[in-house]
Amino acid sequence: MPLGQHERAIFEEQATPLYEEIVSSGGIAVTDERIGRRGELQRAFELLVEVGLVVRSDDEAYWRAVDPAAVQARVVAPLGQQGAELIAESAHWAQAFSTLSHAWRRSPSAVGGPFAEIRGLATIGNFLASLVSDAEVELLTAQPQDRRGVKQLGEAGAREIAALKRGVKMRTLYQHAARRGTDTRKYVAAVSAAGAEVRTLDEFFNRLIVVDRRIAIIPSHEGMNAAMVISDRSMVGYLVDMFERHWERARPFTSSETSLMRDIAAEQRAMTIRMLLEGRADPAGAKRLGVSPRTYAGYVADLKNEFEVETRFQLGYEMGKRGISGRETDEPSTK
């Protein structure tokens, strides 16, 4: 009788009380009908005999109990060994399937062709995790309007640091506003220490992840709960080119030189001016700069003070009169 979960249930529910009875009474008669053929305790008794917890007396008239300590090792040790062998074998099978999964994820079939949509934040997260774990050469990421929480940043950082340790190169773009986030600064410090490059840019751009220049992920038009997976080589190449153009204009995240911070402030000022002149509402302007509506309102208030006006209409008129467009490359104008 193989020993498994079913046998253990019989052992606990029927064999144990029978054993206790045999111990307390000094034995059980061989002729006891309960343990005989078709007896109510036949299976429980046979289990006790099989594991060696009862043996025949010298006169063979009774079954007497045996010390469990002398029997336990014979039963438990083989099960433990079998469990260890099963765990080791399962690990080998997992590795074998991992190799197949790696090949599958690298093929267009994995996402249903050169363009495919995946839905659900959990599904997208798992898909990204698998892609990053498979990265061999390079990770390019653009993360505008940083809204990732501490947990997301921690999970992403752990995956990306593991990739960096494998020799994968990584470059990440944020908007300037991300420099204000404590958690983002900690994340950037961690991945930078592992070899990543992180820069920031004034203007709005959409989220983008490119792995080994062979597959790209962008948000769906429906929002963050869906994403488009692109494996078409021409389209991926186009997205990489866009990233490179943004990268060349971006500023190093880890630098805090006075001149650089002054340039960043000037770029955010210029971006705010463009948003105002284009007539964008505060929520839209804040989104473009990657800041909260309250912070954006503060930028507008600073401009009013700078140009010594009270209303936005007066501000627009004054900037128009001076020929200010927000696209100047010179130092900010002064009155």
Side-chain angles (χ1 to χ4, degrees):
M1 181 187 299
L3 299 181
Q5 184 176 357
H6 178 66
E7 287 68 35
R8 179 173 52 79
I10 296 174
F11 187 85
E12 292 173 342
E13 297 171 8
Q14 299 180 22
T16 296
L18 177 58
Y19 177 84
E20 292 172 349
E21 177 187 332
I22 295 172
V23 170
S24 62
S25 63
I28 186 171
V30 172
T31 57
D32 192 311
E33 294 182 355
R34 293 177 301 164
I35 64 174
R37 185 176 179 80
R38 298 183 181 177
E40 59 189 77
L41 296 177
Q42 178 188 358
R43 296 184 66 190
F45 174 72
E46 289 176 348
L47 185 56
L48 290 177
V49 173
E50 181 178 355
V51 299
L53 281 169
V54 293
V55 295
R56 286 270 190 121
S57 60
D58 293 337
D59 59 8
E60 298 191 352
Y62 291 90
W63 289 94
R64 60 181 180 80
V66 174
D67 183 357
V71 178
Q72 179 177 340
R74 295 203 309 269
V75 176
V76 176
L79 290 174
Q81 179 63 30
Q82 182 182 11
E85 292 173 354
L86 288 173
I87 291 174
E89 187 64 21
S90 69
H92 291 313
W93 275 102
Q95 181 60 41
F97 272 93
S98 177
T99 301
L100 298 179
S101 297
H102 179 79
W104 170 257
R105 287 194 296 266
R106 293 183 66 86
S107 71
S109 303
V111 292
F115 302 93
E117 186 178 57
I118 51 177
R119 293 179 170 274
L121 293 177
T123 301
I124 296 171
N126 292 335
F127 185 79
L128 287 174
S130 68
L131 279 182
V132 173
S133 67
D134 286 345
E136 298 176 346
V137 180
E138 180 185 56
L139 289 173
L140 304 177
T141 67
Q143 299 287 350
Q145 304 163 240
D146 179 50
R147 294 290 184 271
R148 294 188 292 177
V150 178
K151 181 180 179 181
Q152 289 175 301
L153 284 170
E155 293 173 349
R159 290 195 304 264
E160 290 157 4
I161 288 173
L164 288 162
K165 289 181 177 179
R166 296 197 309 270
V168 176
K169 295 181 180 179
M170 175 179 164
R171 287 183 288 160
T172 293
L173 274 173
Y174 281 113
Q175 284 178 275
H176 288 328
R179 293 171 178 266
R180 302 184 179 196
T182 301
D183 297 321
T184 303
R185 290 201 302 269
K186 290 180 180 179
Y187 160 81
V188 170
V191 296
S192 297
E197 294 182 74
V198 184
R199 296 184 183 182
T200 64
L201 200 62
D202 60 336
E203 67 187 61
F204 173 83
F205 50 89
N206 220 329
R207 184 167 275 103
L208 169 69
I209 298 172
V210 182
V211 180
D212 292 341
R213 304 202 176 200
R214 63 179 176 81
I215 190 165
I217 301 93
I218 61 174
S220 166
H221 69 282
E222 297 180 10
M224 296 302 296
N225 200 48
M228 292 299 300
V229 182
I230 302 169
S231 55
D232 179 81
R233 295 177 67 89
S234 297
M235 184 58 70
V236 172
Y238 178 80
L239 293 171
V240 169
D241 181 66
M242 289 181 59
F243 180 93
E244 295 290 1
R245 292 171 185 270
H246 283 83
W247 182 260
E248 290 300 319
R249 296 182 51 253
R251 312 283 187 169
F253 192 108
T254 53
S255 175
S256 59
E257 295 179 2
T258 302
S259 59
L260 175 62
M261 301 311 293
R262 185 167 57 246
D263 289 343
I264 289 174
E267 289 174 0
Q268 289 183 305
R269 171 187 178 277
M271 187 72 171
T272 303
I273 290 173
R274 295 199 296 274
M275 296 300 98
L276 288 170
L277 294 179
E278 291 173 9
R280 296 182 182 273
D282 280 11
K287 181 179 180 180
R288 297 279 293 185
L289 269 81
V291 298
S292 68
R294 182 176 180 180
T295 298
Y296 181 78
Y299 290 168
V300 176
D302 290 341
L303 286 172
K304 288 180 182 177
N305 292 332
E306 178 184 340
F307 289 92
E308 299 181 0
V309 298
E310 296 182 358
T311 69
R312 294 193 183 201
F313 176 81
Q314 293 171 333
L315 177 60
Y317 175 80
E318 188 66 26
M319 289 190 296
K321 186 173 70 173
R322 300 189 191 188
I324 294 173
S325 66
R327 301 186 184 280
E328 296 79 5
T329 57
D330 298 332
E331 290 295 316
S333 300
T334 56
K335 187 173 181 180

PDB file of all heavy atoms in Angstrom, residues 15 17 26 48 51 60 69 122 162 167 174 177 180-181 193 196 207 227 237 242 269 305 324-325 329:
ATOM      1  N   ALA A  15      -6.448   4.547  12.314  1.00  0.00           N
ATOM      2  CA  ALA A  15      -5.335   3.724  12.788  1.00  0.00           C
ATOM      3  C   ALA A  15      -4.786   4.220  14.119  1.00  0.00           C
ATOM      4  O   ALA A  15      -4.404   3.415  14.984  1.00  0.00           O
ATOM      5  CB  ALA A  15      -4.217   3.701  11.727  1.00  0.00           C
ATOM      6  N   PRO A  17      -6.394   5.837  16.714  1.00  0.00           N
ATOM      7  CA  PRO A  17      -7.198   5.357  17.852  1.00  0.00           C
ATOM      8  C   PRO A  17      -7.050   3.848  18.083  1.00  0.00           C
ATOM      9  O   PRO A  17      -7.030   3.389  19.239  1.00  0.00           O
ATOM     10  CB  PRO A  17      -8.636   5.713  17.438  1.00  0.00           C
ATOM     11  CG  PRO A  17      -8.488   6.826  16.464  1.00  0.00           C
ATOM     12  CD  PRO A  17      -7.242   6.540  15.723  1.00  0.00           C
ATOM     13  N   GLY A  26      -2.800  -3.769  25.974  1.00  0.00           N
ATOM     14  CA  GLY A  26      -1.700  -4.742  25.933  1.00  0.00           C
ATOM     15  C   GLY A  26      -1.706  -5.593  24.685  1.00  0.00           C
ATOM     16  O   GLY A  26      -0.850  -6.465  24.520  1.00  0.00           O
ATOM     17  N   LEU A  48      -1.398  -0.260  10.035  1.00  0.00           N
ATOM     18  CA  LEU A  48      -0.504  -0.392  11.190  1.00  0.00           C
ATOM     19  C   LEU A  48       0.506  -1.511  10.971  1.00  0.00           C
ATOM     20  O   LEU A  48       1.680  -1.394  11.319  1.00  0.00           O
ATOM     21  CB  LEU A  48      -1.329  -0.665  12.452  1.00  0.00           C
ATOM     22  CG  LEU A  48      -2.182   0.494  12.996  1.00  0.00           C
ATOM     23  CD1 LEU A  48      -2.989   0.016  14.208  1.00  0.00           C
ATOM     24  CD2 LEU A  48      -1.308   1.672  13.382  1.00  0.00           C
ATOM     25  N   VAL A  51       3.249  -0.395   8.247  1.00  0.00           N
ATOM     26  CA  VAL A  51       4.295   0.522   8.702  1.00  0.00           C
ATOM     27  C   VAL A  51       5.098  -0.064   9.855  1.00  0.00           C
ATOM     28  O   VAL A  51       6.107   0.517  10.259  1.00  0.00           O
ATOM     29  CB  VAL A  51       3.707   1.895   9.101  1.00  0.00           C
ATOM     30  CG1 VAL A  51       3.018   2.549   7.917  1.00  0.00           C
ATOM     31  CG2 VAL A  51       2.744   1.759  10.276  1.00  0.00           C
ATOM     32  N   GLU A  60       1.500 -15.942  18.854  1.00  0.00           N
ATOM     33  CA  GLU A  60       0.703 -15.618  17.664  1.00  0.00           C
ATOM     34  C   GLU A  60      -0.792 -15.521  17.925  1.00  0.00           C
ATOM     35  O   GLU A  60      -1.594 -15.605  17.010  1.00  0.00           O
ATOM     36  CB  GLU A  60       0.976 -16.620  16.538  1.00  0.00           C
ATOM     37  CG  GLU A  60       2.418 -16.619  16.059  1.00  0.00           C
ATOM     38  CD  GLU A  60       2.595 -17.412  14.782  1.00  0.00           C
ATOM     39  OE1 GLU A  60       1.639 -18.073  14.353  1.00  0.00           O
ATOM     40  OE2 GLU A  60       3.696 -17.334  14.209  1.00  0.00           O
ATOM     41  N   ALA A  69       8.891   5.397  17.888  1.00  0.00           N
ATOM     42  CA  ALA A  69      10.181   5.996  17.601  1.00  0.00           C
ATOM     43  C   ALA A  69      11.050   5.072  16.755  1.00  0.00           C
ATOM     44  O   ALA A  69      11.889   5.525  15.970  1.00  0.00           O
ATOM     45  CB  ALA A  69      10.896   6.350  18.904  1.00  0.00           C
ATOM     46  N   ALA A 122      -2.189  44.042 -14.416  1.00  0.00           N
ATOM     47  CA  ALA A 122      -1.412  42.880 -13.974  1.00  0.00           C
ATOM     48  C   ALA A 122      -0.790  42.164 -15.165  1.00  0.00           C
ATOM     49  O   ALA A 122       0.383  41.769 -15.138  1.00  0.00           O
ATOM     50  CB  ALA A 122      -2.296  41.926 -13.176  1.00  0.00           C
ATOM     51  N   ALA A 162      18.935  43.861 -11.971  1.00  0.00           N
ATOM     52  CA  ALA A 162      19.334  42.499 -12.358  1.00  0.00           C
ATOM     53  C   ALA A 162      19.770  42.473 -13.815  1.00  0.00           C
ATOM     54  O   ALA A 162      20.755  41.815 -14.184  1.00  0.00           O
ATOM     55  CB  ALA A 162      18.187  41.523 -12.116  1.00  0.00           C
ATOM     56  N   GLY A 167      24.820  42.851 -17.807  1.00  0.00           N
ATOM     57  CA  GLY A 167      25.522  43.549 -18.877  1.00  0.00           C
ATOM     58  C   GLY A 167      24.618  44.303 -19.819  1.00  0.00           C
ATOM     59  O   GLY A 167      25.076  44.840 -20.832  1.00  0.00           O
ATOM     60  N   TYR A 174      12.908  60.920 -18.168  1.00  0.00           N
ATOM     61  CA  TYR A 174      11.805  61.455 -17.383  1.00  0.00           C
ATOM     62  C   TYR A 174      11.577  62.901 -17.804  1.00  0.00           C
ATOM     63  O   TYR A 174      12.409  63.505 -18.485  1.00  0.00           O
ATOM     64  CB  TYR A 174      12.137  61.441 -15.881  1.00  0.00           C
ATOM     65  CG  TYR A 174      11.983  60.121 -15.192  1.00  0.00           C
ATOM     66  CD1 TYR A 174      13.101  59.445 -14.697  1.00  0.00           C
ATOM     67  CD2 TYR A 174      10.730  59.565 -14.987  1.00  0.00           C
ATOM     68  CE1 TYR A 174      12.967  58.233 -14.039  1.00  0.00           C
ATOM     69  CE2 TYR A 174      10.589  58.354 -14.324  1.00  0.00           C
ATOM     70  CZ  TYR A 174      11.711  57.696 -13.852  1.00  0.00           C
ATOM     71  OH  TYR A 174      11.572  56.495 -13.198  1.00  0.00           O
ATOM     72  N   ALA A 177      10.033  67.440 -14.073  1.00  0.00           N
ATOM     73  CA  ALA A 177       9.272  67.425 -12.818  1.00  0.00           C
ATOM     74  C   ALA A 177       9.592  66.201 -11.966  1.00  0.00           C
ATOM     75  O   ALA A 177       9.404  66.217 -10.744  1.00  0.00           O
ATOM     76  CB  ALA A 177       7.779  67.468 -13.113  1.00  0.00           C
ATOM     77  N   ARG A 180      11.660  66.164  -8.585  1.00  0.00           N
ATOM     78  CA  ARG A 180      11.130  66.560  -7.282  1.00  0.00           C
ATOM     79  C   ARG A 180      10.691  65.370  -6.431  1.00  0.00           C
ATOM     80  O   ARG A 180      10.491  65.502  -5.236  1.00  0.00           O
ATOM     81  CB  ARG A 180       9.932  67.492  -7.466  1.00  0.00           C
ATOM     82  CG  ARG A 180      10.262  68.739  -8.260  1.00  0.00           C
ATOM     83  CD  ARG A 180       9.066  69.659  -8.325  1.00  0.00           C
ATOM     84  NE  ARG A 180       9.364  70.873  -9.048  1.00  0.00           N
ATOM     85  CZ  ARG A 180       8.608  71.966  -9.000  1.00  0.00           C
ATOM     86  NH1 ARG A 180       7.512  71.960  -8.275  1.00  0.00           N
ATOM     87  NH2 ARG A 180       8.949  73.032  -9.693  1.00  0.00           N
ATOM     88  N   GLY A 181      10.505  64.223  -7.049  1.00  0.00           N
ATOM     89  CA  GLY A 181       9.988  63.070  -6.317  1.00  0.00           C
ATOM     90  C   GLY A 181      11.078  62.343  -5.537  1.00  0.00           C
ATOM     91  O   GLY A 181      12.063  61.878  -6.107  1.00  0.00           O
ATOM     92  N   ALA A 193      23.702  53.765  -9.999  1.00  0.00           N
ATOM     93  CA  ALA A 193      24.847  53.111  -9.373  1.00  0.00           C
ATOM     94  C   ALA A 193      25.160  51.783 -10.043  1.00  0.00           C
ATOM     95  O   ALA A 193      26.308  51.322 -10.042  1.00  0.00           O
ATOM     96  CB  ALA A 193      24.574  52.902  -7.883  1.00  0.00           C
ATOM     97  N   ALA A 196      23.029  52.446 -15.105  1.00  0.00           N
ATOM     98  CA  ALA A 196      22.033  53.040 -15.991  1.00  0.00           C
ATOM     99  C   ALA A 196      22.303  54.525 -16.196  1.00  0.00           C
ATOM    100  O   ALA A 196      22.950  55.177 -15.371  1.00  0.00           O
ATOM    101  CB  ALA A 196      20.633  52.842 -15.424  1.00  0.00           C
ATOM    102  N   ARG A 207       4.692  57.443 -22.873  1.00  0.00           N
ATOM    103  CA  ARG A 207       5.439  56.334 -22.285  1.00  0.00           C
ATOM    104  C   ARG A 207       5.907  55.374 -23.376  1.00  0.00           C
ATOM    105  O   ARG A 207       5.186  55.080 -24.328  1.00  0.00           O
ATOM    106  CB  ARG A 207       4.555  55.605 -21.278  1.00  0.00           C
ATOM    107  CG  ARG A 207       5.242  54.475 -20.528  1.00  0.00           C
ATOM    108  CD  ARG A 207       4.419  54.026 -19.343  1.00  0.00           C
ATOM    109  NE  ARG A 207       4.698  54.880 -18.190  1.00  0.00           N
ATOM    110  CZ  ARG A 207       3.907  55.834 -17.748  1.00  0.00           C
ATOM    111  NH1 ARG A 207       2.774  56.096 -18.371  1.00  0.00           N
ATOM    112  NH2 ARG A 207       4.223  56.557 -16.693  1.00  0.00           N
ATOM    113  N   ALA A 227      -2.152  48.221 -23.485  1.00  0.00           N
ATOM    114  CA  ALA A 227      -0.876  48.594 -24.101  1.00  0.00           C
ATOM    115  C   ALA A 227      -0.740  47.916 -25.452  1.00  0.00           C
ATOM    116  O   ALA A 227      -1.294  46.841 -25.686  1.00  0.00           O
ATOM    117  CB  ALA A 227       0.295  48.205 -23.193  1.00  0.00           C
ATOM    118  N   GLY A 237      12.216  50.646 -35.089  1.00  0.00           N
ATOM    119  CA  GLY A 237      13.314  51.527 -35.457  1.00  0.00           C
ATOM    120  C   GLY A 237      12.909  52.986 -35.427  1.00  0.00           C
ATOM    121  O   GLY A 237      13.679  53.856 -34.997  1.00  0.00           O
ATOM    122  N   MET A 242      13.027  58.311 -32.466  1.00  0.00           N
ATOM    123  CA  MET A 242      12.375  59.363 -31.687  1.00  0.00           C
ATOM    124  C   MET A 242      12.995  59.466 -30.298  1.00  0.00           C
ATOM    125  O   MET A 242      13.242  60.562 -29.783  1.00  0.00           O
ATOM    126  CB  MET A 242      10.875  59.079 -31.576  1.00  0.00           C
ATOM    127  CG  MET A 242      10.110  59.260 -32.866  1.00  0.00           C
ATOM    128  SD  MET A 242       8.344  58.946 -32.632  1.00  0.00           S
ATOM    129  CE  MET A 242       7.939  60.147 -31.383  1.00  0.00           C
ATOM    130  N   ARG A 269       9.905  77.149 -17.565  1.00  0.00           N
ATOM    131  CA  ARG A 269       9.264  78.451 -17.757  1.00  0.00           C
ATOM    132  C   ARG A 269       8.810  78.603 -19.195  1.00  0.00           C
ATOM    133  O   ARG A 269       7.678  79.025 -19.471  1.00  0.00           O
ATOM    134  CB  ARG A 269      10.259  79.549 -17.384  1.00  0.00           C
ATOM    135  CG  ARG A 269       9.811  80.968 -17.727  1.00  0.00           C
ATOM    136  CD  ARG A 269      10.936  81.943 -17.463  1.00  0.00           C
ATOM    137  NE  ARG A 269      10.566  83.303 -17.833  1.00  0.00           N
ATOM    138  CZ  ARG A 269      10.626  83.807 -19.069  1.00  0.00           C
ATOM    139  NH1 ARG A 269      11.012  83.022 -20.065  1.00  0.00           N
ATOM    140  NH2 ARG A 269      10.279  85.061 -19.303  1.00  0.00           N
ATOM    141  N   ASN A 305       3.921  87.686 -11.907  1.00  0.00           N
ATOM    142  CA  ASN A 305       4.793  88.569 -11.125  1.00  0.00           C
ATOM    143  C   ASN A 305       5.952  89.089 -11.960  1.00  0.00           C
ATOM    144  O   ASN A 305       6.333  90.256 -11.865  1.00  0.00           O
ATOM    145  CB  ASN A 305       5.338  87.817  -9.907  1.00  0.00           C
ATOM    146  CG  ASN A 305       4.263  87.502  -8.887  1.00  0.00           C
ATOM    147  OD1 ASN A 305       3.269  88.237  -8.786  1.00  0.00           O
ATOM    148  ND2 ASN A 305       4.447  86.433  -8.124  1.00  0.00           N
ATOM    149  N   ILE A 324       7.443  87.332 -27.206  1.00  0.00           N
ATOM    150  CA  ILE A 324       7.862  86.123 -26.487  1.00  0.00           C
ATOM    151  C   ILE A 324       6.969  84.956 -26.910  1.00  0.00           C
ATOM    152  O   ILE A 324       5.738  85.054 -26.872  1.00  0.00           O
ATOM    153  CB  ILE A 324       7.785  86.344 -24.960  1.00  0.00           C
ATOM    154  CG1 ILE A 324       8.819  87.410 -24.547  1.00  0.00           C
ATOM    155  CG2 ILE A 324       8.030  85.043 -24.210  1.00  0.00           C
ATOM    156  CD1 ILE A 324       8.705  87.813 -23.101  1.00  0.00           C
ATOM    157  N   SER A 325       7.587  83.846 -27.291  1.00  0.00           N
ATOM    158  CA  SER A 325       6.826  82.681 -27.754  1.00  0.00           C
ATOM    159  C   SER A 325       7.064  81.438 -26.901  1.00  0.00           C
ATOM    160  O   SER A 325       6.381  80.444 -27.056  1.00  0.00           O
ATOM    161  CB  SER A 325       7.212  82.357 -29.200  1.00  0.00           C
ATOM    162  OG  SER A 325       8.570  81.938 -29.263  1.00  0.00           O
ATOM    163  N   THR A 329      15.845  80.741 -27.339  1.00  0.00           N
ATOM    164  CA  THR A 329      17.015  80.026 -26.815  1.00  0.00           C
ATOM    165  C   THR A 329      17.861  80.935 -25.941  1.00  0.00           C
ATOM    166  O   THR A 329      18.814  80.482 -25.296  1.00  0.00           O
ATOM    167  CB  THR A 329      17.885  79.478 -27.961  1.00  0.00           C
ATOM    168  OG1 THR A 329      18.269  80.575 -28.818  1.00  0.00           O
ATOM    169  CG2 THR A 329      17.117  78.454 -28.759  1.00  0.00           C
TER     170      THR A 329
END
